[in-house]
Short mmCIF file of all heavy atoms in Angstrom, two decimals:
data_model
loop_
_atom_site.label_atom_id
_atom_site.label_comp_id
_atom_site.label_asym_id
_atom_site.label_seq_id
_atom_site.Cartn_x
_atom_site.Cartn_y
_atom_site.Cartn_z
N TYR D 1 5.48 7.99 16.38
CA TYR D 1 4.64 7.65 15.25
C TYR D 1 3.19 7.99 15.53
O TYR D 1 2.29 7.21 15.22
CB TYR D 1 4.82 6.18 14.91
CG TYR D 1 6.24 5.85 14.52
CD1 TYR D 1 7.14 5.32 15.44
CD2 TYR D 1 6.68 6.08 13.23
CE1 TYR D 1 8.43 5.02 15.09
CE2 TYR D 1 7.97 5.79 12.86
CZ TYR D 1 8.85 5.26 13.78
OH TYR D 1 10.13 4.98 13.42
N SER D 2 2.97 9.12 16.10
CA SER D 2 1.62 9.56 16.42
C SER D 2 0.77 9.65 15.15
O SER D 2 1.21 10.13 14.12
CB SER D 2 1.69 10.92 17.10
OG SER D 2 0.40 11.38 17.40
N GLY D 3 -0.46 9.14 15.25
CA GLY D 3 -1.37 9.19 14.13
C GLY D 3 -1.21 8.04 13.15
O GLY D 3 -1.89 7.98 12.15
N GLN D 4 -0.31 7.12 13.43
CA GLN D 4 -0.11 5.98 12.54
C GLN D 4 -0.68 4.72 13.19
O GLN D 4 -0.78 4.64 14.41
CB GLN D 4 1.37 5.78 12.24
CG GLN D 4 1.96 6.93 11.46
CD GLN D 4 3.41 6.69 11.08
OE1 GLN D 4 3.95 5.62 11.30
NE2 GLN D 4 4.03 7.69 10.50
N THR D 5 -1.05 3.78 12.38
CA THR D 5 -1.57 2.51 12.89
C THR D 5 -0.86 1.37 12.18
O THR D 5 -0.42 1.51 11.05
CB THR D 5 -3.10 2.41 12.69
OG1 THR D 5 -3.58 1.27 13.36
CG2 THR D 5 -3.49 2.35 11.24
N GLY D 6 -0.74 0.27 12.86
CA GLY D 6 -0.05 -0.88 12.28
C GLY D 6 -1.03 -1.86 11.64
O GLY D 6 -2.18 -1.96 12.04
N VAL D 7 -0.53 -2.54 10.63
CA VAL D 7 -1.27 -3.63 9.99
C VAL D 7 -0.37 -4.85 10.11
O VAL D 7 0.80 -4.81 9.73
CB VAL D 7 -1.58 -3.32 8.51
CG1 VAL D 7 -2.26 -4.50 7.84
CG2 VAL D 7 -2.43 -2.07 8.39
N PHE D 8 -0.93 -5.94 10.64
CA PHE D 8 -0.10 -7.10 10.95
C PHE D 8 -0.67 -8.39 10.37
O PHE D 8 -1.88 -8.54 10.24
CB PHE D 8 0.01 -7.28 12.48
CG PHE D 8 0.51 -6.05 13.17
CD1 PHE D 8 -0.37 -5.16 13.75
CD2 PHE D 8 1.87 -5.78 13.22
CE1 PHE D 8 0.09 -4.02 14.39
CE2 PHE D 8 2.33 -4.65 13.86
CZ PHE D 8 1.45 -3.76 14.44
N GLU D 9 0.22 -9.29 10.04
CA GLU D 9 -0.13 -10.65 9.66
C GLU D 9 0.57 -11.52 10.69
O GLU D 9 1.79 -11.57 10.75
CB GLU D 9 0.39 -10.94 8.25
CG GLU D 9 0.11 -12.34 7.79
CD GLU D 9 0.57 -12.57 6.36
OE1 GLU D 9 1.75 -12.93 6.18
OE2 GLU D 9 -0.24 -12.39 5.44
N ILE D 10 -0.22 -12.19 11.52
CA ILE D 10 0.34 -12.99 12.60
C ILE D 10 0.00 -14.45 12.36
O ILE D 10 -1.16 -14.81 12.20
CB ILE D 10 -0.20 -12.53 13.97
CG1 ILE D 10 0.19 -11.06 14.20
CG2 ILE D 10 0.34 -13.43 15.08
CD1 ILE D 10 -0.43 -10.44 15.42
N LEU D 11 1.02 -15.28 12.34
CA LEU D 11 0.86 -16.71 12.11
C LEU D 11 0.97 -17.42 13.44
O LEU D 11 2.03 -17.43 14.07
CB LEU D 11 1.94 -17.21 11.15
CG LEU D 11 1.98 -18.70 10.88
CD1 LEU D 11 0.74 -19.12 10.10
CD2 LEU D 11 3.22 -19.06 10.09
N LEU D 12 -0.15 -17.98 13.90
CA LEU D 12 -0.14 -18.75 15.13
C LEU D 12 -0.01 -20.22 14.78
O LEU D 12 -0.71 -20.73 13.90
CB LEU D 12 -1.43 -18.52 15.91
CG LEU D 12 -1.66 -17.08 16.39
CD1 LEU D 12 -3.03 -16.96 17.06
CD2 LEU D 12 -0.56 -16.64 17.32
N ASN D 13 0.89 -20.89 15.43
CA ASN D 13 1.14 -22.29 15.13
C ASN D 13 0.03 -23.17 15.73
O ASN D 13 -0.51 -22.88 16.78
CB ASN D 13 2.50 -22.72 15.68
CG ASN D 13 3.07 -23.90 14.94
OD1 ASN D 13 2.42 -24.51 14.11
ND2 ASN D 13 4.31 -24.23 15.25
N SER D 14 -0.30 -24.22 15.00
CA SER D 14 -1.30 -25.18 15.46
C SER D 14 -0.80 -26.56 15.04
O SER D 14 0.10 -26.67 14.21
CB SER D 14 -2.64 -24.90 14.79
OG SER D 14 -2.56 -25.18 13.39
N PRO D 15 -1.38 -27.61 15.57
CA PRO D 15 -0.95 -28.95 15.15
C PRO D 15 -1.07 -29.17 13.64
O PRO D 15 -0.17 -29.72 13.01
CB PRO D 15 -1.87 -29.89 15.94
CG PRO D 15 -2.23 -29.10 17.17
CD PRO D 15 -2.34 -27.68 16.68
N GLY D 16 -2.18 -28.72 13.05
CA GLY D 16 -2.36 -28.89 11.61
C GLY D 16 -1.34 -28.12 10.80
O GLY D 16 -0.80 -28.61 9.81
N LEU D 17 -1.08 -26.89 11.21
CA LEU D 17 -0.10 -26.06 10.52
C LEU D 17 1.30 -26.64 10.69
O LEU D 17 2.10 -26.66 9.75
CB LEU D 17 -0.17 -24.63 11.04
CG LEU D 17 0.61 -23.60 10.26
CD1 LEU D 17 0.18 -23.56 8.80
CD2 LEU D 17 0.44 -22.24 10.88
N ARG D 18 1.58 -27.12 11.87
CA ARG D 18 2.88 -27.75 12.13
C ARG D 18 3.10 -28.93 11.19
O ARG D 18 4.18 -29.10 10.63
CB ARG D 18 2.94 -28.21 13.59
CG ARG D 18 4.25 -28.85 13.98
CD ARG D 18 4.21 -29.23 15.48
NE ARG D 18 5.44 -29.84 15.88
CZ ARG D 18 5.70 -31.15 15.82
NH1 ARG D 18 4.78 -31.98 15.36
NH2 ARG D 18 6.85 -31.62 16.22
N ASP D 19 2.06 -29.74 10.98
CA ASP D 19 2.17 -30.89 10.08
C ASP D 19 2.50 -30.46 8.66
O ASP D 19 3.32 -31.08 7.98
CB ASP D 19 0.87 -31.70 10.09
CG ASP D 19 0.63 -32.42 11.41
OD1 ASP D 19 1.59 -32.57 12.20
OD2 ASP D 19 -0.53 -32.82 11.65
N VAL D 20 1.86 -29.37 8.20
CA VAL D 20 2.11 -28.88 6.85
C VAL D 20 3.56 -28.39 6.73
O VAL D 20 4.24 -28.66 5.73
CB VAL D 20 1.11 -27.75 6.48
CG1 VAL D 20 1.45 -27.12 5.15
CG2 VAL D 20 -0.31 -28.29 6.46
N ILE D 21 4.03 -27.70 7.75
CA ILE D 21 5.41 -27.20 7.74
C ILE D 21 6.40 -28.36 7.76
O ILE D 21 7.35 -28.40 6.97
CB ILE D 21 5.65 -26.24 8.92
CG1 ILE D 21 4.81 -24.96 8.74
CG2 ILE D 21 7.13 -25.91 9.07
CD1 ILE D 21 4.73 -24.08 9.96
N LEU D 22 6.17 -29.33 8.64
CA LEU D 22 7.09 -30.47 8.74
C LEU D 22 7.07 -31.34 7.49
O LEU D 22 8.06 -32.02 7.19
CB LEU D 22 6.76 -31.31 9.98
CG LEU D 22 7.09 -30.65 11.32
CD1 LEU D 22 6.61 -31.52 12.47
CD2 LEU D 22 8.57 -30.37 11.43
N ALA D 23 5.97 -31.30 6.74
CA ALA D 23 5.89 -32.04 5.49
C ALA D 23 6.61 -31.29 4.36
O ALA D 23 6.63 -31.75 3.23
CB ALA D 23 4.44 -32.29 5.10
N ARG D 24 7.20 -30.15 4.71
CA ARG D 24 7.98 -29.34 3.77
C ARG D 24 7.16 -28.90 2.57
O ARG D 24 7.62 -28.91 1.44
CB ARG D 24 9.26 -30.05 3.37
CG ARG D 24 10.12 -30.43 4.59
CD ARG D 24 11.43 -31.08 4.26
NE ARG D 24 12.36 -30.25 3.51
CZ ARG D 24 13.10 -29.27 4.01
NH1 ARG D 24 13.00 -28.96 5.28
NH2 ARG D 24 13.93 -28.60 3.25
N ARG D 25 5.90 -28.51 2.85
CA ARG D 25 5.02 -28.01 1.80
C ARG D 25 5.47 -26.61 1.37
O ARG D 25 6.24 -25.96 2.06
CB ARG D 25 3.57 -27.96 2.29
CG ARG D 25 3.03 -29.30 2.69
CD ARG D 25 2.90 -30.18 1.50
NE ARG D 25 2.25 -31.43 1.87
CZ ARG D 25 2.17 -32.46 1.07
NH1 ARG D 25 2.68 -32.42 -0.13
NH2 ARG D 25 1.57 -33.55 1.48
N SER D 26 4.95 -26.16 0.25
CA SER D 26 5.32 -24.84 -0.28
C SER D 26 4.79 -23.73 0.63
O SER D 26 3.86 -23.94 1.43
CB SER D 26 4.76 -24.65 -1.68
OG SER D 26 3.35 -24.54 -1.63
N ALA D 27 5.35 -22.54 0.47
CA ALA D 27 4.89 -21.39 1.24
C ALA D 27 3.42 -21.11 0.96
O ALA D 27 2.66 -20.75 1.87
CB ALA D 27 5.74 -20.16 0.91
N ALA D 28 2.99 -21.31 -0.29
CA ALA D 28 1.59 -21.08 -0.65
C ALA D 28 0.68 -22.05 0.09
O ALA D 28 -0.40 -21.66 0.56
CB ALA D 28 1.41 -21.21 -2.15
N GLU D 29 1.10 -23.32 0.22
CA GLU D 29 0.28 -24.30 0.94
C GLU D 29 0.23 -23.99 2.43
O GLU D 29 -0.81 -24.16 3.06
CB GLU D 29 0.84 -25.71 0.71
CG GLU D 29 0.62 -26.21 -0.70
CD GLU D 29 1.29 -27.54 -0.94
OE1 GLU D 29 2.54 -27.58 -0.99
OE2 GLU D 29 0.55 -28.54 -1.06
N ILE D 30 1.34 -23.53 2.98
CA ILE D 30 1.37 -23.16 4.40
C ILE D 30 0.45 -21.96 4.63
O ILE D 30 -0.35 -21.96 5.57
CB ILE D 30 2.81 -22.85 4.85
CG1 ILE D 30 3.66 -24.13 4.79
CG2 ILE D 30 2.82 -22.24 6.25
CD1 ILE D 30 5.16 -23.89 4.96
N GLN D 31 0.52 -20.98 3.75
CA GLN D 31 -0.34 -19.80 3.88
C GLN D 31 -1.81 -20.20 3.75
O GLN D 31 -2.65 -19.74 4.52
CB GLN D 31 0.01 -18.75 2.83
CG GLN D 31 -0.85 -17.50 2.94
CD GLN D 31 -0.54 -16.48 1.88
OE1 GLN D 31 -0.09 -16.80 0.79
NE2 GLN D 31 -0.78 -15.22 2.20
N GLU D 32 -2.11 -21.05 2.78
CA GLU D 32 -3.49 -21.50 2.58
C GLU D 32 -4.03 -22.18 3.84
O GLU D 32 -5.15 -21.91 4.29
CB GLU D 32 -3.56 -22.46 1.40
CG GLU D 32 -4.96 -22.95 1.10
CD GLU D 32 -4.99 -23.90 -0.08
OE1 GLU D 32 -4.13 -23.79 -0.97
OE2 GLU D 32 -5.88 -24.77 -0.10
N ARG D 33 -3.22 -23.04 4.44
CA ARG D 33 -3.64 -23.74 5.67
C ARG D 33 -3.84 -22.76 6.81
O ARG D 33 -4.81 -22.84 7.57
CB ARG D 33 -2.60 -24.80 6.04
CG ARG D 33 -2.94 -25.59 7.28
CD ARG D 33 -4.27 -26.37 7.09
NE ARG D 33 -4.60 -27.17 8.22
CZ ARG D 33 -4.40 -28.49 8.28
NH1 ARG D 33 -3.89 -29.14 7.27
NH2 ARG D 33 -4.74 -29.13 9.35
N ALA D 34 -2.92 -21.80 6.93
CA ALA D 34 -3.03 -20.80 8.00
C ALA D 34 -4.31 -19.98 7.84
O ALA D 34 -5.01 -19.73 8.83
CB ALA D 34 -1.81 -19.90 7.99
N ILE D 35 -4.64 -19.62 6.62
CA ILE D 35 -5.87 -18.85 6.37
C ILE D 35 -7.09 -19.71 6.69
O ILE D 35 -8.06 -19.23 7.28
CB ILE D 35 -5.89 -18.30 4.94
CG1 ILE D 35 -4.82 -17.19 4.81
CG2 ILE D 35 -7.26 -17.78 4.56
CD1 ILE D 35 -4.56 -16.73 3.40
N GLN D 36 -7.05 -20.99 6.33
CA GLN D 36 -8.15 -21.90 6.66
C GLN D 36 -8.36 -21.97 8.17
O GLN D 36 -9.48 -22.15 8.64
CB GLN D 36 -7.87 -23.32 6.13
CG GLN D 36 -7.97 -23.46 4.65
CD GLN D 36 -7.51 -24.83 4.17
OE1 GLN D 36 -6.96 -25.63 4.93
NE2 GLN D 36 -7.71 -25.09 2.89
N GLU D 37 -7.27 -21.81 8.92
CA GLU D 37 -7.35 -21.90 10.37
C GLU D 37 -7.59 -20.54 11.04
O GLU D 37 -7.51 -20.42 12.25
CB GLU D 37 -6.08 -22.57 10.92
CG GLU D 37 -5.99 -24.02 10.50
CD GLU D 37 -4.88 -24.78 11.19
OE1 GLU D 37 -4.27 -24.25 12.15
OE2 GLU D 37 -4.62 -25.92 10.78
N GLY D 38 -7.86 -19.51 10.22
CA GLY D 38 -8.27 -18.23 10.79
C GLY D 38 -7.29 -17.09 10.71
O GLY D 38 -7.60 -15.99 11.16
N MET D 39 -6.11 -17.30 10.12
CA MET D 39 -5.15 -16.20 10.01
C MET D 39 -5.67 -15.17 9.00
O MET D 39 -6.19 -15.52 7.95
CB MET D 39 -3.79 -16.71 9.52
CG MET D 39 -2.75 -15.60 9.44
SD MET D 39 -1.20 -16.13 8.70
CE MET D 39 -1.56 -15.86 6.96
N LEU D 40 -5.54 -13.90 9.34
CA LEU D 40 -5.83 -12.83 8.40
C LEU D 40 -4.53 -12.50 7.67
O LEU D 40 -3.53 -12.18 8.31
CB LEU D 40 -6.31 -11.57 9.12
CG LEU D 40 -7.72 -11.56 9.66
CD1 LEU D 40 -7.99 -10.25 10.37
CD2 LEU D 40 -8.73 -11.77 8.54
N ASP D 41 -4.56 -12.58 6.34
CA ASP D 41 -3.35 -12.20 5.63
C ASP D 41 -3.19 -10.68 5.66
O ASP D 41 -4.10 -9.94 6.05
CB ASP D 41 -3.32 -12.76 4.20
CG ASP D 41 -4.40 -12.20 3.30
OD1 ASP D 41 -4.60 -10.98 3.29
OD2 ASP D 41 -5.03 -13.00 2.59
N PHE D 42 -2.03 -10.22 5.28
CA PHE D 42 -1.67 -8.81 5.40
C PHE D 42 -2.67 -7.90 4.70
O PHE D 42 -3.14 -6.91 5.27
CB PHE D 42 -0.26 -8.63 4.82
CG PHE D 42 0.42 -7.36 5.22
CD1 PHE D 42 0.71 -7.09 6.53
CD2 PHE D 42 0.79 -6.44 4.25
CE1 PHE D 42 1.35 -5.92 6.90
CE2 PHE D 42 1.43 -5.28 4.60
CZ PHE D 42 1.72 -5.01 5.93
N ARG D 43 -3.04 -8.24 3.48
CA ARG D 43 -3.97 -7.39 2.72
C ARG D 43 -5.36 -7.38 3.36
O ARG D 43 -5.99 -6.33 3.46
CB ARG D 43 -4.05 -7.83 1.27
CG ARG D 43 -4.97 -6.92 0.49
CD ARG D 43 -4.64 -6.76 -0.96
NE ARG D 43 -3.29 -6.46 -1.31
CZ ARG D 43 -2.81 -5.24 -1.52
NH1 ARG D 43 -3.58 -4.20 -1.35
NH2 ARG D 43 -1.57 -5.05 -1.89
N ARG D 44 -5.85 -8.52 3.81
CA ARG D 44 -7.18 -8.54 4.47
C ARG D 44 -7.16 -7.73 5.76
O ARG D 44 -8.13 -7.06 6.08
CB ARG D 44 -7.61 -9.98 4.73
CG ARG D 44 -8.07 -10.68 3.49
CD ARG D 44 -8.71 -12.02 3.82
NE ARG D 44 -9.13 -12.68 2.60
CZ ARG D 44 -8.50 -13.69 2.04
NH1 ARG D 44 -7.41 -14.18 2.57
NH2 ARG D 44 -8.95 -14.22 0.93
N ALA D 45 -6.07 -7.80 6.48
CA ALA D 45 -5.96 -7.00 7.70
C ALA D 45 -6.03 -5.51 7.37
O ALA D 45 -6.67 -4.73 8.07
CB ALA D 45 -4.67 -7.33 8.44
N ALA D 46 -5.39 -5.12 6.26
CA ALA D 46 -5.43 -3.72 5.84
C ALA D 46 -6.85 -3.33 5.41
O ALA D 46 -7.33 -2.23 5.73
CB ALA D 46 -4.46 -3.50 4.69
N LEU D 47 -7.55 -4.23 4.71
CA LEU D 47 -8.92 -3.94 4.28
C LEU D 47 -9.86 -3.77 5.47
O LEU D 47 -10.78 -2.95 5.42
CB LEU D 47 -9.43 -5.05 3.35
CG LEU D 47 -8.73 -5.12 1.99
CD1 LEU D 47 -9.21 -6.34 1.22
CD2 LEU D 47 -8.95 -3.85 1.18
N ILE D 48 -9.62 -4.50 6.53
CA ILE D 48 -10.42 -4.33 7.75
C ILE D 48 -10.20 -2.94 8.33
O ILE D 48 -11.14 -2.28 8.77
CB ILE D 48 -10.12 -5.45 8.77
CG1 ILE D 48 -10.70 -6.77 8.27
CG2 ILE D 48 -10.66 -5.10 10.16
CD1 ILE D 48 -10.30 -7.98 9.06
N LYS D 49 -8.94 -2.47 8.31
CA LYS D 49 -8.65 -1.12 8.81
C LYS D 49 -9.39 -0.07 7.98
O LYS D 49 -9.86 0.94 8.51
CB LYS D 49 -7.15 -0.83 8.78
CG LYS D 49 -6.32 -1.73 9.67
CD LYS D 49 -6.48 -1.38 11.12
CE LYS D 49 -5.52 -2.25 11.94
NZ LYS D 49 -5.58 -1.93 13.34
N ILE D 50 -9.52 -0.30 6.67
CA ILE D 50 -10.28 0.61 5.81
C ILE D 50 -11.76 0.59 6.22
O ILE D 50 -12.38 1.63 6.39
CB ILE D 50 -10.13 0.24 4.32
CG1 ILE D 50 -8.69 0.47 3.86
CG2 ILE D 50 -11.10 1.05 3.46
CD1 ILE D 50 -8.39 -0.11 2.49
N ALA D 51 -12.31 -0.61 6.38
CA ALA D 51 -13.73 -0.75 6.75
C ALA D 51 -14.04 -0.11 8.10
O ALA D 51 -15.14 0.40 8.31
CB ALA D 51 -14.12 -2.23 6.76
N GLN D 52 -13.05 -0.13 8.99
CA GLN D 52 -13.22 0.47 10.32
C GLN D 52 -12.95 1.98 10.31
O GLN D 52 -13.01 2.62 11.34
CB GLN D 52 -12.28 -0.20 11.33
CG GLN D 52 -12.60 -1.65 11.57
CD GLN D 52 -11.53 -2.35 12.41
OE1 GLN D 52 -10.36 -1.97 12.42
NE2 GLN D 52 -11.96 -3.39 13.11
N ALA D 53 -12.64 2.52 9.13
CA ALA D 53 -12.31 3.94 8.95
C ALA D 53 -11.07 4.35 9.74
O ALA D 53 -10.93 5.50 10.15
CB ALA D 53 -13.50 4.83 9.29
N VAL D 54 -10.16 3.39 9.95
CA VAL D 54 -8.91 3.68 10.64
C VAL D 54 -7.89 4.25 9.66
O VAL D 54 -7.05 5.05 10.02
CB VAL D 54 -8.35 2.39 11.30
CG1 VAL D 54 -6.98 2.60 11.88
CG2 VAL D 54 -9.32 1.91 12.38
N THR D 55 -8.01 3.85 8.39
CA THR D 55 -7.11 4.34 7.35
C THR D 55 -7.90 4.44 6.04
O THR D 55 -9.08 4.08 5.98
CB THR D 55 -5.87 3.42 7.19
OG1 THR D 55 -4.91 4.08 6.36
CG2 THR D 55 -6.23 2.08 6.61
N SER D 56 -7.24 4.91 5.01
CA SER D 56 -7.91 5.09 3.72
C SER D 56 -7.42 4.06 2.70
O SER D 56 -6.34 3.49 2.84
CB SER D 56 -7.62 6.50 3.17
OG SER D 56 -6.24 6.61 2.85
N THR D 57 -8.22 3.89 1.67
CA THR D 57 -7.83 3.00 0.58
C THR D 57 -6.52 3.50 -0.05
O THR D 57 -5.62 2.70 -0.34
CB THR D 57 -8.93 2.96 -0.50
OG1 THR D 57 -10.14 2.53 0.12
CG2 THR D 57 -8.56 2.04 -1.64
N GLU D 58 -6.41 4.78 -0.23
CA GLU D 58 -5.20 5.36 -0.84
C GLU D 58 -3.96 5.04 -0.02
O GLU D 58 -2.91 4.71 -0.56
CB GLU D 58 -5.35 6.88 -0.99
CG GLU D 58 -6.41 7.30 -1.99
CD GLU D 58 -7.84 7.23 -1.44
OE1 GLU D 58 -8.03 7.11 -0.19
OE2 GLU D 58 -8.77 7.25 -2.26
N GLU D 59 -4.08 5.12 1.30
CA GLU D 59 -2.93 4.83 2.17
C GLU D 59 -2.54 3.37 2.09
O GLU D 59 -1.35 3.04 2.03
CB GLU D 59 -3.24 5.23 3.61
CG GLU D 59 -2.10 5.01 4.57
CD GLU D 59 -0.85 5.85 4.28
OE1 GLU D 59 -0.91 6.81 3.48
OE2 GLU D 59 0.21 5.54 4.87
N VAL D 60 -3.52 2.48 2.05
CA VAL D 60 -3.22 1.05 1.94
C VAL D 60 -2.54 0.77 0.60
O VAL D 60 -1.54 0.05 0.53
CB VAL D 60 -4.49 0.19 2.12
CG1 VAL D 60 -4.24 -1.25 1.71
CG2 VAL D 60 -4.96 0.27 3.57
N LEU D 61 -3.08 1.33 -0.48
CA LEU D 61 -2.47 1.12 -1.80
C LEU D 61 -1.05 1.66 -1.85
O LEU D 61 -0.18 1.09 -2.52
CB LEU D 61 -3.33 1.76 -2.89
CG LEU D 61 -4.69 1.09 -3.12
CD1 LEU D 61 -5.51 1.91 -4.11
CD2 LEU D 61 -4.52 -0.34 -3.60
N ARG D 62 -0.79 2.75 -1.13
CA ARG D 62 0.55 3.34 -1.11
C ARG D 62 1.51 2.50 -0.26
O ARG D 62 2.66 2.28 -0.63
CB ARG D 62 0.49 4.77 -0.54
CG ARG D 62 1.84 5.48 -0.56
CD ARG D 62 1.83 6.74 0.28
NE ARG D 62 1.73 6.46 1.72
CZ ARG D 62 2.71 5.99 2.47
NH1 ARG D 62 3.88 5.69 1.96
NH2 ARG D 62 2.53 5.79 3.77
N ALA D 63 1.04 2.01 0.86
CA ALA D 63 1.93 1.42 1.86
C ALA D 63 2.06 -0.10 1.79
O ALA D 63 3.07 -0.65 2.23
CB ALA D 63 1.46 1.82 3.26
N VAL D 64 1.06 -0.79 1.25
CA VAL D 64 1.09 -2.25 1.23
C VAL D 64 1.57 -2.72 -0.14
O VAL D 64 0.89 -2.48 -1.14
CB VAL D 64 -0.30 -2.86 1.54
CG1 VAL D 64 -0.27 -4.37 1.46
CG2 VAL D 64 -0.78 -2.40 2.92
N PRO D 65 2.70 -3.37 -0.21
CA PRO D 65 3.21 -3.85 -1.50
C PRO D 65 2.24 -4.81 -2.17
O PRO D 65 1.52 -5.56 -1.50
CB PRO D 65 4.51 -4.57 -1.14
CG PRO D 65 4.88 -4.05 0.21
CD PRO D 65 3.58 -3.69 0.89
N VAL D 66 2.21 -4.80 -3.48
CA VAL D 66 1.30 -5.63 -4.26
C VAL D 66 1.50 -7.11 -3.97
O VAL D 66 0.55 -7.88 -3.94
CB VAL D 66 1.47 -5.35 -5.77
CG1 VAL D 66 0.65 -6.32 -6.61
CG2 VAL D 66 1.08 -3.92 -6.08
N GLU D 67 2.74 -7.55 -3.73
CA GLU D 67 2.97 -8.98 -3.54
C GLU D 67 2.29 -9.53 -2.29
O GLU D 67 2.08 -10.72 -2.19
CB GLU D 67 4.46 -9.33 -3.51
CG GLU D 67 5.23 -8.72 -2.37
CD GLU D 67 5.88 -7.38 -2.72
OE1 GLU D 67 5.56 -6.80 -3.75
OE2 GLU D 67 6.69 -6.90 -1.90
N PHE D 68 1.92 -8.68 -1.33
CA PHE D 68 1.18 -9.16 -0.18
C PHE D 68 -0.24 -9.43 -0.63
O PHE D 68 -0.84 -8.66 -1.33
CB PHE D 68 1.17 -8.14 0.98
CG PHE D 68 2.46 -8.12 1.74
CD1 PHE D 68 3.38 -7.13 1.52
CD2 PHE D 68 2.75 -9.12 2.64
CE1 PHE D 68 4.58 -7.12 2.22
CE2 PHE D 68 3.95 -9.12 3.33
CZ PHE D 68 4.85 -8.11 3.11
N GLY D 69 -0.76 -10.58 -0.22
CA GLY D 69 -2.11 -10.96 -0.60
C GLY D 69 -2.13 -11.86 -1.82
O GLY D 69 -3.15 -12.35 -2.22
N ARG D 70 -0.97 -12.07 -2.44
CA ARG D 70 -0.87 -12.98 -3.58
C ARG D 70 -0.05 -14.17 -3.18
O ARG D 70 1.06 -14.02 -2.68
CB ARG D 70 -0.17 -12.30 -4.76
CG ARG D 70 -0.98 -11.26 -5.44
CD ARG D 70 -0.29 -10.86 -6.70
NE ARG D 70 -0.97 -9.73 -7.29
CZ ARG D 70 -0.48 -9.02 -8.27
NH1 ARG D 70 0.70 -9.31 -8.78
NH2 ARG D 70 -1.14 -8.01 -8.76
N SER D 71 -0.57 -15.33 -3.41
CA SER D 71 0.18 -16.56 -3.12
C SER D 71 1.00 -16.94 -4.33
O SER D 71 0.55 -16.84 -5.45
CB SER D 71 -0.78 -17.70 -2.79
OG SER D 71 -1.47 -17.41 -1.61
N GLU D 72 2.23 -17.35 -4.08
CA GLU D 72 3.08 -17.85 -5.16
C GLU D 72 2.90 -19.34 -5.24
O GLU D 72 2.77 -20.02 -4.25
CB GLU D 72 4.54 -17.52 -4.87
CG GLU D 72 4.81 -16.02 -4.91
CD GLU D 72 6.28 -15.72 -4.70
OE1 GLU D 72 7.10 -16.61 -4.95
OE2 GLU D 72 6.59 -14.60 -4.29
N SER D 73 2.87 -19.86 -6.44
CA SER D 73 2.69 -21.30 -6.61
C SER D 73 4.01 -22.01 -6.71
O SER D 73 5.00 -21.53 -7.00
CB SER D 73 1.90 -21.57 -7.88
OG SER D 73 0.63 -20.98 -7.74
#
């Protein structure tokens, strides 16, 4: 995969996030808490790659599905 770069969304567990998960909150609430604690969501990670000139806006729009970056209620 020469010339390609990865875009990742990594969820690191923390005591606060664990509490939200154990309380059986919605996926949107879990994502919101994770972002509050510093997680970069998939779309923001891709936007950083654009800002760093690692990839182009066109490539992100082509490769990153629209549903990433949108929270479901």
Side-chain angles (χ1 to χ4, degrees):
Y1 299 97
S2 179
Q4 295 184 6
T5 189
V7 176
F8 305 97
E9 178 177 87
I10 299 173
L11 176 67
L12 297 176
N13 205 352
S14 68
L17 190 58
R18 181 178 180 271
D19 291 343
V20 174
I21 293 168
L22 290 175
R24 304 183 63 77
R25 300 293 186 189
S26 69
E29 289 175 289
I30 294 169
Q31 181 182 28
E32 181 180 332
R33 181 61 177 259
I35 290 170
Q36 288 173 352
E37 293 189 10
M39 182 187 87
L40 285 179
D41 65 46
F42 197 62
R43 182 150 311 265
R44 284 190 181 104
L47 292 174
I48 289 171
K49 297 286 185 178
I50 293 169
Q52 295 171 333
V54 173
T55 192
S56 67
T57 303
E58 293 79 14
E59 182 63 13
V60 168
L61 292 174
R62 183 193 69 74
V64 178
V66 173
E67 64 267 12
F68 283 102
R70 288 190 187 168
S71 295
E72 293 183 23
S73 298

